[in-house]
Structure formats: C-alpha cells, structure tokens
Amino acid sequence: MKHIITIQHTQSVHHTNGMVGSWTDWELTDLGKKQADKIGKKLSEELRENLKDKKLVIYSSDLLRAKQTAEAVSKYFDITPVFKQELRERNLGKCCGKSVQWLRENIECPEKTVDDRLFSDGESKRDAWNRLKPFFESVMADECDIIIIVSHGDLLSHFNAMFLGMPVESLTNGDIHGLAGGVSHFIVSDDGKHFVKRISDMSYTC
C-alpha cells in the first residue's frame, strides 16, 4: 500500500496583498509559518506508528512559499525535502509580479479550454499538466510507502484529477481545488486501486 499526502502551501504574502502568486517567489506570512508548523506536528503525530517500518519522502515545489512549508513539515520527520521545479505553480507569464487586478484587466485570452493561455508567454492548463505528469508517474512507481508532496493550488488540482484517472480535458469544465494549508490523503492499494480519503483538510492548521 502507498500513502500519498499532499499539502497546499500555507498562507503566503500574495494571499494578503492582492498580488499574483504563480512563479513570483513570495514567502509565507507569519500566520503561514505557524500553519506549516502545525501541519508538520499533527502529521508526525498521526503517522508516528506507521513510520516505524515504512519509508517516507517529502517532495516540494522549489518556490519559496512551498519550500518554507515543506521545511517546517520535514523537521518533524528529520528528513530533507526534495525540491522539484515540476511542482511549481502554473506559470502565468507576464502577469507575474503584477496585481490580481492587473491580471483581470489585461487578460489576452480567456480560458475556455485547457489549451488557452491567459498570457502568451504563460502556461495553459495542458502545459502545466504535461509538466506535472512525469513526476506523477514517478510517484506512482516510487517504492516509498509514504510520500508527502507540497505544492500549489493549480498543480494539486491537476494531481487530484490525475490520481482519479481523469483526462486533462476534464479541467475545461471544472477541477478539484483546495485551500491554502489544506492536507489531502490518497491511498493506492496493493491491487492498484486508488482511494481518496480526505481532500483539503484544514484541521491540520488549527
């Protein structure tokens, strides 16, 4: 059995100042740092018995807000996170470093399909999906028993769909999104069946 735990990074500065997140390297707020610490503490307590004879790895986006979340969590497991560019948030191109209001007023192409790009130099949903897919496949083949993944809202919504076997085109009409600090649990049984146990559980931040 494989136990996959995803964590959407906790509160970041861009959640409080009206700026775009994407590939801009925002850090966590003081509240975000406290939330990340609580997630690490509660997860380690929850998994303590399982860790006695199991292998664990933590993967994280290399953007600062995710790195800080992963580092706060990983100290409770006494391991070093593995940082992956593949786990970065979707790249929105020229609006990085701009405000959300600027984004809304300057969209070049409304997203009607997974192939539309809000900005010509950014990623479409399909682009981000294709970037994530090799990592997802490596996680499915990973020999570790417990895998913790720290990433961002858009990328984890793609992960959720992949885990359920949904095609990328399903993201045209909706997705399975979470909240900052949300923790999700996924199980792959020994016979290969996929089970979603919890999605975006916010109780870990309390």
Side-chain angles (χ1 to χ4, degrees), residues 90 92 107 109-119 123-126 154 171-172:
R90 184 153 61 110
L92 297 182
I107 288 175
C109 178
E111 286 187 310
K112 296 182 179 179
T113 75
V114 293
D115 295 305
D116 294 325
R117 296 183 178 90
L118 293 173
F119 298 94
E123 291 181 311
S124 67
K125 289 185 177 181
R126 189 186 298 274
D154 269 10
L171 299 178
T172 294

Side-chain angles (χ1 to χ4, degrees), residues 33-46:
K33 293 173 183 176
K34 292 176 182 176
Q35 291 173 327
D37 187 75
K38 288 179 180 179
I39 291 171
K41 184 174 186 294
K42 290 185 177 181
L43 264 182
S44 65
E45 292 171 350
E46 184 178 315

